[in-house]
Amino acid sequence: MAIQLNHTIVHARDAAASARFLAELLGLGEPVRFGPFHAVELANGVTLDFLDSDEVPLVEHYAFLLSEAEFDQVFERIRVRGLPYWADPGHRRLNQINHGDGGRGLYWSDPDGHNLEILTRPYGSGGG
């Protein structure tokens, strides 16, 4: 059996709201409640399991590889909500996208400050 990532836990001050935020922006189905978790399932079967935390969560980074058409859809949802976005993980290039490896990418923050990224080509894949 090939080793695959199955799920990861994302700590949030409001797990239900954070899971819904991500699912809506990515155009995914409603989060599924499983015990204390609100799970957002990705197309490859990996789930991000949001869990309520009483502490300020440690900021994590989550990157999502998607098609050019899906990028356009997510980017439009980000703009419609008036969310700030950046071309870089350090959030220095406001309201810009990057063109790494000939694709497109951008970063934005979720309600807990987690650094979310969408990209159309994996880094190091060539093309520019």
Side-chain angles (χ1 to χ4, degrees), residues 84-100 105-107 123:
Y85 60 91
W86 298 267
D88 62 292
H91 294 188
R92 291 181 297 277
R93 296 170 45 205
L94 180 63
N95 296 329
Q96 297 178 47
I97 64 172
N98 70 59
H99 296 280
L106 66 82
Y107 300 79
Y123 295 117

Side-chain angles (χ1 to χ4, degrees), residues 46-125:
V46 174
T47 61
L48 282 82
D49 298 343
F50 288 80
L51 178 66
D52 284 316
S53 175
D54 292 333
E55 299 178 19
V56 175
L58 175 66
V59 172
E60 300 286 350
H61 173 76
Y62 301 96
F64 305 94
L65 182 64
L66 34 73
S67 70
E68 290 288 340
E70 290 165 327
F71 183 96
D72 290 337
Q73 293 166 359
V74 175
F75 189 27
E76 180 62 18
R77 290 182 197 110
I78 289 169
R79 288 190 300 223
V80 164
R81 287 185 179 217
L83 297 173
Y85 60 91
W86 298 267
D88 62 292
H91 294 188
R92 291 181 297 277
R93 296 170 45 205
L94 180 63
N95 296 329
Q96 297 178 47
I97 64 172
N98 70 59
H99 296 280
D101 289 291
R104 294 183 292 163
L106 66 82
Y107 300 79
W108 79 100
S109 297
D110 87 342
D112 290 295
H114 294 301
N115 199 17
L116 306 176
E117 177 184 8
I118 54 172
L119 64 158
T120 61
R121 292 192 54 128
Y123 295 117
S125 64

